[in-house]
Amino acid sequence: MANSTEPQKPQNTKKNKKKGATLDTFYGAKIQNTEQTEDNIKENAPKPSKGNGNSPQTYEEFESEMTKKMEAFWEEKLEIMQKKFTHLQNQFDQTVKENQALKTRIRQLEDNDCVKEQESIKQSQNTKKLEENIKYLTDKVIDLENRGRRDNLRIIGLPEKPEINTKLDMVIQDIIKENCPEILEQGGNTATDRAHRTPSTLNPQKTTPRNVIAKFQSYQTKEKILQEARKRQFRYKGMPIRVTQDLASSTLNDRKAWNMIFRKARELGLQPRISYPAKLTIYFQGKVWAFNKIEDFQLFAKKRPELCGMFDTENQRARNT
């Protein structure tokens, strides 16, 4: 009987080796490690038969076959991972390009914003200059209008009657005879080029008579009449009237703003006067004080105990608005 030597079975090292850790793939798939795979190969390898010593498949052949399968498996996985890596690399390159384009765009926007800010500053400066020029030209036009009215007198309070309106030139001569006849006695030229009511149309809702504008041929005669009107109350056939210098409407409004302060200063004996164009002057504590704005006078009055609280300019402002 032939002795057949049983081939030694490969020892199963599974018990002597710890179970391998799992490998997380890029999308979460789990693949067993190499040690565990080798253990599975040895465990599943066919055992040789005890008959004639020949087996359908030797362990070496099985191991070679499994190795090829493992290599094919890993090559396939490597190819998949390579494609995914290439895709991610392309996405990363695209993101870098987009990021660079955004940086360039932001830089351009910042440059444009800087340019616009500089243009805005220049525009503000130009606007300020234009406003200053407009104010200068407006003041210049008002001054020219006032100088064009230097030969005019404004008569306030003359009754609205047809017999007066049709003969304004003669009425003005009567006013001069009644209030300052010395001008006629001195041979002054009291003739007028024109006299008219202002505005040209009568407002039926307004009860006060319209002002009369009279343009004199002689500036000296006009000044003499104005000086006499400042000294005393003028009258026409016993009715009180007021004679003032004719000025532009804006200048007259500026002067009207001083009315309340002017009346109060006169009551206090401060000898107030309105000088050209709309400047208030008073005589206080032996000095002449001049004010171009109501705010300046208000500040002046608050610092003087003798005047503090006597001038309520807020009511005057409310009346003028």
Side-chain angles (χ1 to χ4, degrees):
M1 185 173 181
N3 293 330
S4 61
T5 305
E6 290 183 2
Q8 294 180 356
K9 295 181 180 180
Q11 295 180 357
N12 190 354
T13 58
K14 182 178 181 181
K15 297 180 180 179
N16 297 329
K17 296 183 178 180
K18 296 181 180 179
K19 190 176 180 180
T22 59
L23 176 64
D24 292 341
T25 62
F26 218 77
Y27 291 96
K30 297 183 178 179
I31 301 174
Q32 293 178 336
N33 60 18
T34 306
E35 293 179 356
Q36 185 176 356
T37 304
E38 291 177 354
D39 291 343
N40 291 336
I41 292 172
K42 293 177 182 180
E43 188 180 61
N44 297 326
K47 298 179 181 179
S49 64
K50 296 180 180 181
N52 55 6
N54 296 324
S55 59
Q57 186 178 18
T58 63
Y59 173 76
E60 289 78 6
E61 293 174 347
F62 176 77
E63 185 177 15
S64 176
E65 183 181 353
M66 294 303 296
T67 301
K68 291 179 180 180
K69 291 182 178 180
M70 288 291 296
E71 289 177 353
F73 172 79
W74 284 113
E75 287 178 358
E76 182 182 358
K77 292 296 181 182
L78 181 61
E79 184 179 357
I80 294 173
M81 293 181 66
Q82 185 67 31
K83 291 181 179 179
K84 292 179 179 179
F85 177 78
T86 304
H87 177 69
L88 291 175
Q89 184 67 36
N90 293 335
Q91 287 185 339
F92 176 76
D93 294 340
Q94 183 66 23
T95 303
V96 171
K97 291 180 181 179
E98 292 177 355
N99 187 29
Q100 186 64 31
L102 288 174
K103 287 183 179 179
T104 304
R105 181 60 178 169
I106 291 173
R107 192 178 300 109
Q108 291 176 352
L109 290 174
E110 289 176 348
D111 294 340
N112 292 338
D113 185 66
C114 183
V115 172
K116 289 181 179 179
E117 185 177 357
Q118 293 176 355
E119 291 178 354
S120 177
I121 293 174
K122 291 181 181 179
Q123 189 68 24
S124 299
Q125 293 175 350
N126 292 335
T127 302
K128 185 177 181 180
K129 290 181 180 179
L130 288 175
E131 291 176 351
E132 292 175 354
N133 291 337
I134 291 173
K135 185 179 183 305
Y136 170 77
L137 292 174
T138 302
D139 294 341
K140 191 70 173 177
V141 169
I142 293 174
D143 181 68
L144 290 173
E145 184 178 357
N146 287 330
R147 293 182 184 278
R149 296 169 180 260
R150 63 195 304 267
D151 295 335
N152 298 354
L153 284 179
R154 182 180 291 263
I155 304 172
I156 304 171
L158 198 62
E160 282 271 3
K161 295 181 180 180
E163 59 271 19
I164 294 178
N165 293 339
T166 55
K167 300 178 180 180
L168 286 176
D169 292 336
M170 297 178 61
V171 170
I172 291 171
Q173 297 300 321
D174 294 339
I175 291 174
I176 296 173
K177 291 178 183 179
E178 184 176 351
N179 295 277
C180 44
E182 62 275 7
I183 295 177
L184 296 174
E185 294 173 359
Q186 295 173 2
N189 182 12
T190 60
T192 57
D193 287 336
R194 186 181 178 186
H196 63 90
R197 294 274 186 178
T198 181
S200 57
T201 57
L202 178 64
N203 185 1
Q205 297 179 353
K206 193 173 182 180
T207 58
T208 57
R210 293 173 293 170
N211 296 344
V212 174
I213 306 298
K215 179 177 176 57
F216 286 82
Q217 295 180 357
S218 172
Y219 172 77
Q220 290 76 13
T221 301
K222 189 260 328 181
E223 281 295 312
K224 290 180 181 179
I225 297 172
L226 186 60
Q227 291 175 3
E228 294 296 327
R230 289 170 179 169
K231 294 178 183 178
R232 59 182 180 272
Q233 176 73 60
F234 270 31
R235 294 181 176 275
Y236 173 68
K237 296 183 178 181
M239 295 180 295
I241 59 174
R242 189 157 61 94
V243 178
T244 64
Q245 174 67 48
D246 180 39
L247 297 169
S249 59
S250 59
T251 305
L252 291 175
N253 292 333
D254 293 340
R255 289 193 169 199
K256 287 179 181 179
W258 290 105
N259 284 349
M260 187 277 298
I261 294 177
F262 186 90
R263 290 194 296 268
K264 188 64 178 179
R266 178 179 289 177
E267 293 175 3
L268 297 175
L270 300 179
Q271 303 177 16
R273 288 192 62 182
I274 302 294
S275 57
Y276 182 83
K279 181 188 297 184
L280 174 69
T281 59
I282 61 172
Y283 186 79
F284 180 70
Q285 294 181 348
K287 297 180 180 180
V288 177
W289 304 82
F291 307 94
N292 292 315
K293 297 180 180 180
I294 294 178
E295 291 78 6
D296 297 338
F297 179 83
Q298 185 179 14
L299 183 62
F300 172 82
K302 286 182 178 180
K303 293 181 179 180
R304 304 303 190 279
E306 300 89 340
L307 304 178
C308 184
M310 295 185 179
F311 296 91
D312 187 5
T313 57
E314 296 298 329
N315 293 338
Q316 179 65 21
R317 289 180 184 175
R319 233 180 270 119
N320 293 333
T321 55

Short mmCIF file of all heavy atoms in Angstrom, two decimals, residues 141-173:
data_model
loop_
_atom_site.label_atom_id
_atom_site.label_comp_id
_atom_site.label_asym_id
_atom_site.label_seq_id
_atom_site.Cartn_x
_atom_site.Cartn_y
_atom_site.Cartn_z
N VAL A 141 -27.24 141.93 -9.62
CA VAL A 141 -28.47 142.36 -10.31
C VAL A 141 -29.34 143.20 -9.39
O VAL A 141 -29.90 144.22 -9.80
CB VAL A 141 -29.24 141.12 -10.83
CG1 VAL A 141 -30.63 141.51 -11.31
CG2 VAL A 141 -28.47 140.44 -11.95
N ILE A 142 -29.45 142.76 -8.11
CA ILE A 142 -30.25 143.53 -7.15
C ILE A 142 -29.65 144.92 -6.95
O ILE A 142 -30.36 145.93 -6.89
CB ILE A 142 -30.34 142.77 -5.82
CG1 ILE A 142 -31.16 141.49 -6.01
CG2 ILE A 142 -30.99 143.64 -4.74
CD1 ILE A 142 -31.18 140.60 -4.80
N ASP A 143 -28.31 144.97 -6.85
CA ASP A 143 -27.65 146.27 -6.67
C ASP A 143 -27.88 147.16 -7.89
O ASP A 143 -28.15 148.37 -7.75
CB ASP A 143 -26.15 146.04 -6.43
CG ASP A 143 -25.41 147.34 -6.22
OD1 ASP A 143 -25.65 148.00 -5.17
OD2 ASP A 143 -24.60 147.74 -7.08
N LEU A 144 -27.79 146.58 -9.10
CA LEU A 144 -28.04 147.37 -10.31
C LEU A 144 -29.49 147.86 -10.36
O LEU A 144 -29.76 149.00 -10.78
CB LEU A 144 -27.72 146.54 -11.55
CG LEU A 144 -26.23 146.24 -11.79
CD1 LEU A 144 -26.07 145.27 -12.96
CD2 LEU A 144 -25.46 147.53 -12.06
N GLU A 145 -30.43 146.99 -9.93
CA GLU A 145 -31.83 147.41 -9.92
C GLU A 145 -32.04 148.55 -8.92
O GLU A 145 -32.77 149.52 -9.21
CB GLU A 145 -32.72 146.23 -9.56
CG GLU A 145 -34.20 146.56 -9.61
CD GLU A 145 -35.07 145.35 -9.31
OE1 GLU A 145 -34.51 144.24 -9.12
OE2 GLU A 145 -36.30 145.52 -9.25
N ASN A 146 -31.42 148.44 -7.76
CA ASN A 146 -31.55 149.51 -6.77
C ASN A 146 -30.96 150.82 -7.27
O ASN A 146 -31.51 151.91 -7.04
CB ASN A 146 -30.87 149.10 -5.46
CG ASN A 146 -31.66 148.03 -4.71
OD1 ASN A 146 -32.89 147.97 -4.81
ND2 ASN A 146 -30.98 147.19 -3.98
N ARG A 147 -29.81 150.70 -7.95
CA ARG A 147 -29.20 151.92 -8.49
C ARG A 147 -30.04 152.51 -9.63
O ARG A 147 -30.05 153.72 -9.84
CB ARG A 147 -27.78 151.62 -8.97
CG ARG A 147 -26.83 151.27 -7.83
CD ARG A 147 -25.41 151.02 -8.32
NE ARG A 147 -24.56 150.60 -7.23
CZ ARG A 147 -23.98 151.43 -6.36
NH1 ARG A 147 -24.17 152.73 -6.46
NH2 ARG A 147 -23.20 150.95 -5.40
N GLY A 148 -30.73 151.64 -10.37
CA GLY A 148 -31.61 152.15 -11.41
C GLY A 148 -32.83 152.85 -10.85
O GLY A 148 -33.50 153.59 -11.58
N ARG A 149 -33.12 152.63 -9.57
CA ARG A 149 -34.27 153.27 -8.92
C ARG A 149 -33.84 154.45 -8.04
O ARG A 149 -34.65 154.94 -7.24
CB ARG A 149 -35.01 152.25 -8.04
CG ARG A 149 -35.64 151.10 -8.81
CD ARG A 149 -36.12 150.02 -7.85
NE ARG A 149 -36.72 148.90 -8.53
CZ ARG A 149 -38.04 148.69 -8.67
NH1 ARG A 149 -38.89 149.56 -8.14
NH2 ARG A 149 -38.50 147.65 -9.30
N ARG A 150 -32.62 154.89 -8.18
CA ARG A 150 -32.09 155.93 -7.28
C ARG A 150 -32.82 157.27 -7.43
O ARG A 150 -32.80 158.10 -6.51
CB ARG A 150 -30.58 156.12 -7.52
CG ARG A 150 -30.24 156.61 -8.89
CD ARG A 150 -28.75 156.44 -9.20
NE ARG A 150 -27.92 157.08 -8.23
CZ ARG A 150 -27.45 158.32 -8.34
NH1 ARG A 150 -27.75 159.04 -9.41
NH2 ARG A 150 -26.68 158.84 -7.43
N ASP A 151 -33.48 157.50 -8.56
CA ASP A 151 -34.23 158.75 -8.75
C ASP A 151 -35.70 158.60 -8.37
O ASP A 151 -36.48 159.56 -8.55
CB ASP A 151 -34.16 159.19 -10.23
CG ASP A 151 -32.74 159.55 -10.64
OD1 ASP A 151 -31.94 159.93 -9.76
OD2 ASP A 151 -32.42 159.42 -11.84
N ASN A 152 -36.08 157.44 -7.82
CA ASN A 152 -37.49 157.18 -7.52
C ASN A 152 -37.78 157.36 -6.05
O ASN A 152 -36.94 157.13 -5.18
CB ASN A 152 -37.87 155.74 -7.92
CG ASN A 152 -37.71 155.50 -9.41
OD1 ASN A 152 -37.42 156.42 -10.18
ND2 ASN A 152 -37.90 154.26 -9.80
N LEU A 153 -39.05 157.76 -5.77
CA LEU A 153 -39.60 157.78 -4.41
C LEU A 153 -40.85 156.90 -4.40
O LEU A 153 -41.60 156.85 -5.37
CB LEU A 153 -39.96 159.20 -3.98
CG LEU A 153 -38.79 160.11 -3.60
CD1 LEU A 153 -39.32 161.50 -3.22
CD2 LEU A 153 -37.98 159.54 -2.45
N ARG A 154 -41.04 156.23 -3.27
CA ARG A 154 -42.22 155.39 -3.09
C ARG A 154 -43.13 156.07 -2.07
O ARG A 154 -42.72 156.33 -0.94
CB ARG A 154 -41.81 154.00 -2.61
CG ARG A 154 -42.97 153.02 -2.43
CD ARG A 154 -42.42 151.68 -1.97
NE ARG A 154 -41.67 151.02 -3.00
CZ ARG A 154 -42.14 150.07 -3.80
NH1 ARG A 154 -43.42 149.70 -3.68
NH2 ARG A 154 -41.39 149.51 -4.71
N ILE A 155 -44.37 156.32 -2.49
CA ILE A 155 -45.34 156.99 -1.62
C ILE A 155 -46.35 155.93 -1.16
O ILE A 155 -47.01 155.28 -1.98
CB ILE A 155 -46.05 158.13 -2.37
CG1 ILE A 155 -45.01 159.12 -2.90
CG2 ILE A 155 -47.05 158.82 -1.45
CD1 ILE A 155 -45.60 160.19 -3.81
N ILE A 156 -46.44 155.76 0.15
CA ILE A 156 -47.27 154.71 0.75
C ILE A 156 -48.45 155.35 1.47
O ILE A 156 -48.27 156.31 2.24
CB ILE A 156 -46.44 153.86 1.73
CG1 ILE A 156 -45.21 153.29 1.01
CG2 ILE A 156 -47.27 152.73 2.33
CD1 ILE A 156 -44.22 152.62 1.93
N GLY A 157 -49.64 154.82 1.24
CA GLY A 157 -50.83 155.29 1.95
C GLY A 157 -51.65 156.30 1.19
O GLY A 157 -52.65 156.82 1.72
N LEU A 158 -51.29 156.62 -0.05
CA LEU A 158 -52.07 157.56 -0.85
C LEU A 158 -53.38 156.88 -1.26
O LEU A 158 -53.37 155.79 -1.82
CB LEU A 158 -51.29 157.98 -2.09
CG LEU A 158 -51.75 159.24 -2.81
CD1 LEU A 158 -51.63 160.46 -1.88
CD2 LEU A 158 -50.92 159.46 -4.07
N PRO A 159 -54.53 157.48 -0.96
CA PRO A 159 -55.83 156.81 -1.19
C PRO A 159 -56.04 156.40 -2.63
O PRO A 159 -55.55 157.04 -3.56
CB PRO A 159 -56.86 157.87 -0.75
CG PRO A 159 -56.10 158.77 0.17
CD PRO A 159 -54.70 158.81 -0.35
N GLU A 160 -56.80 155.30 -2.78
CA GLU A 160 -57.15 154.79 -4.11
C GLU A 160 -58.44 155.47 -4.57
O GLU A 160 -59.53 155.02 -4.30
CB GLU A 160 -57.34 153.26 -4.05
CG GLU A 160 -56.05 152.49 -4.03
CD GLU A 160 -55.55 152.16 -5.43
OE1 GLU A 160 -56.19 152.59 -6.42
OE2 GLU A 160 -54.51 151.49 -5.52
N LYS A 161 -58.27 156.56 -5.29
CA LYS A 161 -59.43 157.29 -5.82
C LYS A 161 -59.18 157.60 -7.29
O LYS A 161 -58.03 157.89 -7.68
CB LYS A 161 -59.66 158.58 -5.05
CG LYS A 161 -60.05 158.36 -3.59
CD LYS A 161 -60.28 159.68 -2.89
CE LYS A 161 -60.67 159.46 -1.43
NZ LYS A 161 -60.90 160.75 -0.73
N PRO A 162 -60.22 157.58 -8.10
CA PRO A 162 -60.01 157.85 -9.54
C PRO A 162 -59.42 159.23 -9.78
O PRO A 162 -58.57 159.39 -10.67
CB PRO A 162 -61.42 157.74 -10.13
CG PRO A 162 -62.17 156.86 -9.16
CD PRO A 162 -61.61 157.17 -7.82
N GLU A 163 -59.83 160.23 -9.02
CA GLU A 163 -59.32 161.59 -9.25
C GLU A 163 -57.84 161.70 -8.89
O GLU A 163 -57.14 162.60 -9.38
CB GLU A 163 -60.13 162.62 -8.47
CG GLU A 163 -60.16 162.42 -6.97
CD GLU A 163 -61.28 161.52 -6.50
OE1 GLU A 163 -61.81 160.77 -7.36
OE2 GLU A 163 -61.62 161.56 -5.30
N ILE A 164 -57.38 160.77 -8.03
CA ILE A 164 -55.96 160.77 -7.68
C ILE A 164 -55.16 159.96 -8.69
O ILE A 164 -54.08 160.38 -9.14
CB ILE A 164 -55.75 160.22 -6.26
CG1 ILE A 164 -56.40 161.17 -5.24
CG2 ILE A 164 -54.27 160.03 -5.95
CD1 ILE A 164 -56.30 160.68 -3.81
N ASN A 165 -55.67 158.82 -9.08
CA ASN A 165 -54.94 157.94 -9.98
C ASN A 165 -54.74 158.55 -11.37
O ASN A 165 -53.74 158.27 -12.04
CB ASN A 165 -55.67 156.60 -10.13
CG ASN A 165 -55.67 155.81 -8.82
OD1 ASN A 165 -54.84 156.05 -7.94
ND2 ASN A 165 -56.61 154.88 -8.69
N THR A 166 -55.67 159.37 -11.80
CA THR A 166 -55.54 159.97 -13.14
C THR A 166 -54.64 161.20 -13.14
O THR A 166 -54.24 161.66 -14.21
CB THR A 166 -56.93 160.36 -13.66
OG1 THR A 166 -57.58 161.22 -12.73
CG2 THR A 166 -57.79 159.11 -13.89
N LYS A 167 -54.34 161.75 -11.96
CA LYS A 167 -53.53 162.97 -11.89
C LYS A 167 -52.41 162.80 -10.85
O LYS A 167 -52.22 163.64 -9.97
CB LYS A 167 -54.40 164.17 -11.51
CG LYS A 167 -55.52 164.44 -12.52
CD LYS A 167 -56.36 165.61 -12.06
CE LYS A 167 -57.50 165.89 -13.05
NZ LYS A 167 -58.35 167.02 -12.62
N LEU A 168 -51.67 161.73 -10.96
CA LEU A 168 -50.62 161.45 -9.96
C LEU A 168 -49.52 162.50 -9.99
O LEU A 168 -48.97 162.86 -8.94
CB LEU A 168 -50.04 160.05 -10.21
CG LEU A 168 -50.93 158.87 -9.79
CD1 LEU A 168 -50.27 157.55 -10.18
CD2 LEU A 168 -51.19 158.90 -8.29
N ASP A 169 -49.16 163.00 -11.18
CA ASP A 169 -48.10 164.02 -11.26
C ASP A 169 -48.50 165.28 -10.48
O ASP A 169 -47.68 165.85 -9.73
CB ASP A 169 -47.84 164.38 -12.72
CG ASP A 169 -47.20 163.21 -13.48
OD1 ASP A 169 -46.56 162.36 -12.81
OD2 ASP A 169 -47.35 163.14 -14.71
N MET A 170 -49.73 165.72 -10.65
CA MET A 170 -50.20 166.91 -9.94
C MET A 170 -50.33 166.63 -8.44
O MET A 170 -50.04 167.50 -7.62
CB MET A 170 -51.55 167.35 -10.52
CG MET A 170 -51.49 167.76 -11.99
SD MET A 170 -53.11 168.23 -12.66
CE MET A 170 -53.53 169.61 -11.61
N VAL A 171 -50.74 165.42 -8.07
CA VAL A 171 -50.86 165.06 -6.65
C VAL A 171 -49.49 165.12 -5.99
O VAL A 171 -49.36 165.60 -4.85
CB VAL A 171 -51.49 163.66 -6.51
CG1 VAL A 171 -51.40 163.18 -5.07
CG2 VAL A 171 -52.95 163.69 -6.97
N ILE A 172 -48.45 164.67 -6.67
CA ILE A 172 -47.09 164.70 -6.10
C ILE A 172 -46.64 166.16 -5.89
O ILE A 172 -46.02 166.48 -4.86
CB ILE A 172 -46.12 163.94 -7.02
CG1 ILE A 172 -46.45 162.44 -6.98
CG2 ILE A 172 -44.67 164.16 -6.60
CD1 ILE A 172 -45.71 161.62 -8.00
N GLN A 173 -46.96 167.04 -6.82
CA GLN A 173 -46.62 168.44 -6.64
C GLN A 173 -47.35 169.04 -5.45
O GLN A 173 -46.79 169.84 -4.69
CB GLN A 173 -46.95 169.22 -7.92
CG GLN A 173 -46.18 168.78 -9.16
CD GLN A 173 -44.68 168.95 -8.98
OE1 GLN A 173 -44.20 169.94 -8.39
NE2 GLN A 173 -43.93 167.97 -9.50
#
